[in-house]
Amino acid sequence: MKMKVFKSTRHINFADCDPAQIVFYPRFFEMFDRCTENMFRDVGFYWEVAQATTNYVGMPLIEVSAKFHRPVRFGDTVEIETWIEEIKGKVYVVLHKIVNKGVLSLEGREVRCYAVKAPEHASGIRAIPLPADLVDRLAVKEPA
Amino acid sequence: MKMKVFKSTRHINFADCDPAQIVFYPRFFEMFDRCTENMFRDVGFYWEVAQATTNYVGMPLIEVSAKFHRPVRFGDTVEIETWIEEIKGKVYVVLHKIVNKGVLSLEGREVRCYAVKAPEHASGIRAIPLPADLVDRLAVKEPA
Amino acid sequence: MKMKVFKSTRHINFADCDPAQIVFYPRFFEMFDRCTENMFRDVGFYWEVAQATTNYVGMPLIEVSAKFHRPVRFGDTVEIETWIEEIKGKVYVVLHKIVNKGVLSLEGREVRCYAVKAPEHASGIRAIPLPADLVDRLAVKEPA
Amino acid sequence: MKMKVFKSTRHINFADCDPAQIVFYPRFFEMFDRCTENMFRDVGFYWEVAQATTNYVGMPLIEVSAKFHRPVRFGDTVEIETWIEEIKGKVYVVLHKIVNKGVLSLEGREVRCYAVKAPEHASGIRAIPLPADLVDRLAVKEPA
């Protein structure tokens, strides 16, 4: 299955940068979190609405990583591509590519799950596979 | 002199919010800082370019305040208006109004100055009035 | 009534600073929020416990301000003093003083209230005065 | 060579947490950055001093990752262990273990280098191996 690529643009402000005049690296993970949320919003799945109306709790992280190829500087405007690369059982993998003036600057990878309320568990939550209708909305529709 | 109002829109993500499900209040000051920077960018004054090509150092804060009228929640999309309210000597006052679904949610006020390099001072910087050409670019042009 | 002064120390890391090599100003509000919370913890009032066991919801902000006297730089270690300056009806005022090598660098002022659940209100919460036993714990005990 | 383990303690405040009442995941990377910096400070290597007095520029990230085993909640106090796990050529690997009430909650891994000024390079910087005297200070001294 081919998944939709969610594209966004981000201007790098003073507020994003550190004393080395480049993006303070934890800020990229904030961008990844926003992009993942916005990818779901883009297909009509709103986290705060799902929390209020279904047993959905959130999309907790299991693993996350990033590879930094080139610094991103104060004043740059970057293009971000975000998509679900893989779904395996109860977890799914989101990739983020950040491109600056045509050059790949960094790549991020989040392994998340879809968590629902589970009063019977000590933690109060449990993971289930991404619901089929949500996967369907995130997938590229092939011509019949 | 009437100053231009810089308008922007901000979607409130999970990343902006605290355990009370509303925007964590220091995040609003990050938004103010971005909006002030972007207001200057909008008239062609880029902080990082001015730093590299002139004696401009930055726009340090002297005072800042905010009044919170109503909470802004996860999932809201707010409209922000930013403008220079007053210029008095070496300082200027930026106001920010954040409106949520037509209702004023909060107001911010930053008192800043325009700082330039001053090797003769212990701090290495000194404040000067906003340059006249920059004020001119930020002002609303009246018909002749 | 004289209120206890809560003292804390904060090392300023790279992570706190901006391209001007000084603390990015919204980070001070994060410090204020931590100090206010920790002042209450210091007298045995834990926000997360109160939320789970009473009708306490949180300490929302009504107004906040800061005056910046001197920059705080990467590598500095500052002393912070936090106390309740005033209680007037349903709101209370917290002051924060940040001192760097003996010199006052900035002052913060938060106007907050004590909010409890109020299902009968549209917002779901309402403000009540700081509970008397909590004020008592925050007050300096005078010798009898 | 056995490297020193730098231990620190971190109280998890309201300011660290997200609408799910747990630490917002990018905040862990801010903690990692602080701990790496503080590990170097602990052996007398101060980033801001080295920048002012040597050709040292910073410790840029090449890769970073984290594995989340259990959530860390508002009100928890965690123990963090930070050490250099490996030095290979011009890069070194820092590991961070965050333990909450005796249970491993998450692990972080930063691959960084030691960067110095290099006016002859387009980027202005180049990586060199961690200086021998710095490695020596970070190493556990074996009895002779």
Side-chain angles (χ1 to χ4, degrees):
Chain A
M1 193 162 21
K2 219 177 143 207
M3 305 303 277
K4 287 175 185 166
V5 175
F6 175 75
K7 298 186 182 192
S8 55
T9 295
R10 182 68 149 65
H11 181 71
I12 303 302
N13 283 113
F14 183 86
D16 298 307
C17 295
D18 64 23
Q21 317 278 331
I22 61 176
V23 174
F24 179 51
Y25 93 79
R27 301 287 162 258
F28 286 121
F29 291 99
E30 294 185 25
M31 294 179 208
F32 296 161
D33 195 76
R34 284 182 204 278
C35 287
T36 296
E37 183 196 333
N38 289 339
M39 174 183 68
F40 282 107
R41 301 188 90 80
D42 204 46
V43 300
F45 184 83
Y46 304 107
W47 293 5
E48 76 283 7
V49 174
Q51 282 165 346
T53 59
T54 73
N55 64 347
Y56 169 78
V57 171
M59 304 275 197
L61 269 286
I62 295 160
E63 280 182 47
V64 67
S65 61
K67 292 188 184 184
F68 304 94
H69 304 300
R70 285 163 193 274
V72 179
R73 298 179 194 286
F74 176 22
D76 289 343
T77 299
V78 298
E79 307 294 322
I80 312 178
E81 294 194 352
T82 298
W83 71 93
I84 293 183
E85 174 69 11
E86 192 182 357
I87 300 175
K88 37 181 179 181
K90 291 177 183 170
V91 306
Y92 64 93
V93 178
V94 183
L95 294 192
H96 306 272
K97 271 175 56 175
I98 296 190
V99 173
N100 189 7
K101 302 182 195 83
V103 178
L104 181 64
S105 291
L106 72 145
E107 298 164 280
R109 180 177 183 273
E110 298 177 309
V111 182
R112 295 183 179 248
C113 67
Y114 184 104
V116 295
K117 283 172 204 151
E120 72 280 13
H121 285 231
S123 68
I125 64 170
R126 69 189 173 89
I128 61 167
L130 272 181
D133 75 302
L134 185 50
V135 174
D136 187 61
R137 281 188 270 166
L138 289 160
V140 174
K141 296 297 172 288
E142 304 292 351
Chain B
M1 193 161 23
K2 216 179 145 205
M3 306 303 278
K4 287 175 185 166
V5 175
F6 175 74
K7 298 187 183 191
S8 56
T9 294
R10 182 68 148 64
H11 180 71
I12 303 303
N13 282 114
F14 183 86
D16 298 307
C17 295
D18 65 22
Q21 318 278 331
I22 62 176
V23 174
F24 180 51
Y25 94 80
R27 301 287 161 258
F28 286 121
F29 292 99
E30 294 185 25
M31 294 179 207
F32 296 160
D33 195 75
R34 284 181 203 278
C35 288
T36 296
E37 182 196 334
N38 289 340
M39 174 184 67
F40 282 105
R41 300 188 90 81
D42 204 47
V43 299
F45 184 83
Y46 303 107
W47 293 4
E48 75 285 5
V49 174
Q51 282 165 346
T53 59
T54 74
N55 65 348
Y56 169 78
V57 172
M59 305 275 198
L61 269 284
I62 295 161
E63 278 182 47
V64 67
S65 61
K67 291 189 185 183
F68 304 94
H69 304 300
R70 281 160 198 274
V72 178
R73 298 179 194 285
F74 176 23
D76 288 344
T77 299
V78 297
E79 308 294 323
I80 311 178
E81 294 194 352
T82 297
W83 71 94
I84 294 183
E85 174 69 11
E86 191 181 0
I87 300 176
K88 36 181 180 181
K90 292 179 184 169
V91 307
Y92 64 94
V93 179
V94 184
L95 294 193
H96 306 271
K97 270 175 56 175
I98 297 191
V99 173
N100 190 6
K101 300 183 196 87
V103 178
L104 180 65
S105 291
L106 70 146
E107 297 164 281
R109 181 178 184 274
E110 297 176 310
V111 181
R112 294 181 180 250
C113 66
Y114 184 102
V116 296
K117 283 172 203 151
E120 72 280 13
H121 285 231
S123 67
I125 64 171
R126 68 188 174 90
I128 61 166
L130 272 181
D133 76 301
L134 185 49
V135 174
D136 186 61
R137 280 188 271 165
L138 288 160
V140 174
K141 297 295 171 290
E142 304 293 349
Chain C
M1 194 163 19
K2 216 176 146 210
M3 305 303 277
K4 288 175 184 166
V5 175
F6 174 75
K7 297 186 183 192
S8 55
T9 295
R10 182 67 150 65
H11 180 70
I12 302 303
N13 283 113
F14 183 86
D16 297 307
C17 295
D18 65 23
Q21 318 278 332
I22 61 176
V23 174
F24 180 52
Y25 94 78
R27 301 287 162 258
F28 286 121
F29 292 99
E30 294 185 25
M31 294 178 208
F32 297 160
D33 195 76
R34 284 182 204 277
C35 288
T36 297
E37 182 196 333
N38 289 339
M39 173 183 68
F40 282 106
R41 300 188 90 80
D42 205 47
V43 300
F45 184 82
Y46 303 108
W47 293 5
E48 77 283 6
V49 173
Q51 282 165 346
T53 59
T54 73
N55 65 348
Y56 169 78
V57 171
M59 304 275 199
L61 269 285
I62 294 160
E63 279 182 48
V64 67
S65 61
K67 290 189 185 183
F68 304 94
H69 305 300
R70 284 162 195 274
V72 179
R73 297 180 195 286
F74 177 22
D76 288 343
T77 299
V78 297
E79 307 294 323
I80 312 178
E81 293 194 352
T82 297
W83 71 93
I84 292 183
E85 174 69 12
E86 190 181 358
I87 300 176
K88 37 181 178 180
K90 292 178 183 170
V91 307
Y92 64 93
V93 178
V94 183
L95 294 193
H96 306 271
K97 271 176 55 178
I98 296 190
V99 172
N100 189 7
K101 302 182 195 84
V103 178
L104 181 65
S105 291
L106 71 145
E107 298 164 280
R109 180 178 185 273
E110 298 176 308
V111 181
R112 295 183 179 249
C113 66
Y114 185 102
V116 295
K117 283 172 204 151
E120 72 280 12
H121 285 230
S123 68
I125 64 171
R126 69 189 172 89
I128 60 167
L130 272 181
D133 75 303
L134 185 49
V135 174
D136 186 62
R137 281 188 270 166
L138 289 160
V140 174
K141 296 295 171 290
E142 304 292 351
Chain D
M1 192 163 21
K2 215 178 146 206
M3 306 303 277
K4 287 175 186 166
V5 175
F6 174 74
K7 297 187 183 191
S8 55
T9 295
R10 182 68 149 64
H11 180 70
I12 302 303
N13 282 114
F14 183 85
D16 299 305
C17 295
D18 65 22
Q21 317 280 330
I22 62 176
V23 174
F24 179 52
Y25 94 79
R27 301 287 162 257
F28 286 120
F29 292 99
E30 295 185 25
M31 294 179 207
F32 296 161
D33 195 76
R34 284 182 203 276
C35 287
T36 296
E37 183 196 333
N38 289 340
M39 174 183 67
F40 282 106
R41 300 188 90 81
D42 204 47
V43 300
F45 184 83
Y46 303 107
W47 293 5
E48 75 286 5
V49 174
Q51 283 164 346
T53 60
T54 74
N55 64 349
Y56 169 78
V57 173
M59 306 275 198
L61 270 283
I62 295 162
E63 278 183 45
V64 67
S65 61
K67 291 189 186 184
F68 304 94
H69 304 301
R70 282 161 197 275
V72 179
R73 298 179 195 286
F74 176 23
D76 289 343
T77 298
V78 297
E79 308 294 323
I80 312 179
E81 294 194 351
T82 297
W83 70 93
I84 293 184
E85 174 69 12
E86 191 181 357
I87 300 175
K88 38 180 179 181
K90 292 178 183 168
V91 307
Y92 64 93
V93 178
V94 184
L95 294 193
H96 305 272
K97 271 175 57 176
I98 297 190
V99 172
N100 189 6
K101 301 182 195 85
V103 178
L104 180 65
S105 291
L106 72 146
E107 297 164 280
R109 180 178 184 273
E110 297 176 309
V111 182
R112 294 181 179 250
C113 67
Y114 185 102
V116 295
K117 283 171 204 150
E120 72 280 13
H121 284 232
S123 67
I125 64 170
R126 69 188 172 90
I128 61 167
L130 272 181
D133 76 302
L134 185 49
V135 174
D136 186 61
R137 278 188 271 165
L138 288 160
V140 173
K141 297 295 171 289
E142 303 293 350

